[in-house]
Amino acid sequence: MIRKMKLEDRDVYLKMAHDFYHSPAVLYPIPDSYIERTFEECMNGGTYALGYILESEGQTAGYGLVAKTFSQEAGGYVYWLEELYILEEYRSKGLGSEFFAYVEEHKEEGVTRFRLEVEDDNVRAAALYERLGYKPLAYNQMVKEFHD
């Protein structure tokens, strides 16, 4: 089951997100304060971020995070599928596919593109994304960080 994140999910989300950012699925860890800010954004109406909890047989099995933006190139709103984290014991049970189907079915009006990133060595995730119809973009991404 996939559902929107609630206030009472705070502790379990913070733990899972911390674990995600200390796993091989990401380039480097981030401060826990960033994770807390993301949770607050999800709870403040979801203008820029939507958080989801994945459950299996009534137990928390993972989380998903979607960031929202507008793209002229895409001709509308874009959902950045920022994160999908599934606890080890629930992997390969269809939760990833279920999450993507849920987000597609419940996307807001005007969303014209879904976008995501995957590490080159995360072969398992990339295979799922390809099965779901995602294609690589020929972009090199660049960032410039600004932190308080």
Side-chain angles (χ1 to χ4, degrees):
M1 181 179 107
I2 312 299
R3 64 172 174 79
K4 286 225 176 158
M5 212 178 278
K6 301 182 223 172
L7 277 173
E8 53 265 26
D9 297 315
R10 184 180 189 279
D11 291 342
V12 71
Y13 164 73
L14 294 178
K15 164 100 174 72
M16 289 188 296
H18 173 87
D19 292 348
F20 174 73
Y21 275 97
H22 289 82
S23 77
V26 298
L27 291 174
Y28 52 86
I30 64 171
D32 286 343
S33 63
Y34 292 8
I35 297 167
E36 292 170 6
R37 286 172 60 186
T38 300
F39 182 79
E40 294 304 319
E41 175 58 30
C42 290
M43 294 299 105
N44 288 331
T47 301
Y48 298 105
L50 301 168
Y52 301 92
I53 295 294
L54 287 67
E55 295 179 335
S56 178
E57 299 178 8
Q59 299 298 311
T60 300
Y63 76 92
L65 184 62
V66 174
K68 301 186 293 187
T69 186
F70 185 88
S71 170
Q72 180 165 277
E73 177 182 304
Y77 297 103
V78 174
Y79 274 7
W80 272 86
L81 302 167
E82 284 279 331
E83 295 169 19
L84 176 59
Y85 178 73
I86 299 172
L87 296 169
E88 186 71 40
E89 61 267 30
Y90 296 103
R91 293 181 187 163
S92 298
K93 296 184 181 207
L95 282 172
S97 296
E98 184 180 342
F99 171 73
F100 281 89
Y102 179 91
V103 174
E104 284 186 29
E105 184 179 324
H106 294 89
K107 70 181 177 14
E108 296 171 52
E109 188 174 331
V111 173
T112 59
R113 177 182 286 171
F114 281 17
R115 189 169 177 169
L116 55 80
E117 296 174 346
V118 62
E119 294 295 317
D120 289 336
D121 60 354
N122 197 344
V123 178
R124 195 169 164 185
L128 168 64
Y129 305 150
E130 287 179 18
R131 278 195 313 275
L132 295 174
Y134 290 80
K135 299 174 190 140
L137 283 174
Y139 290 121
N140 287 325
Q141 294 205 13
M142 300 171 70
V143 298
K144 183 176 181 178
E145 304 280 347
F146 297 93
H147 298 283
D148 302 336

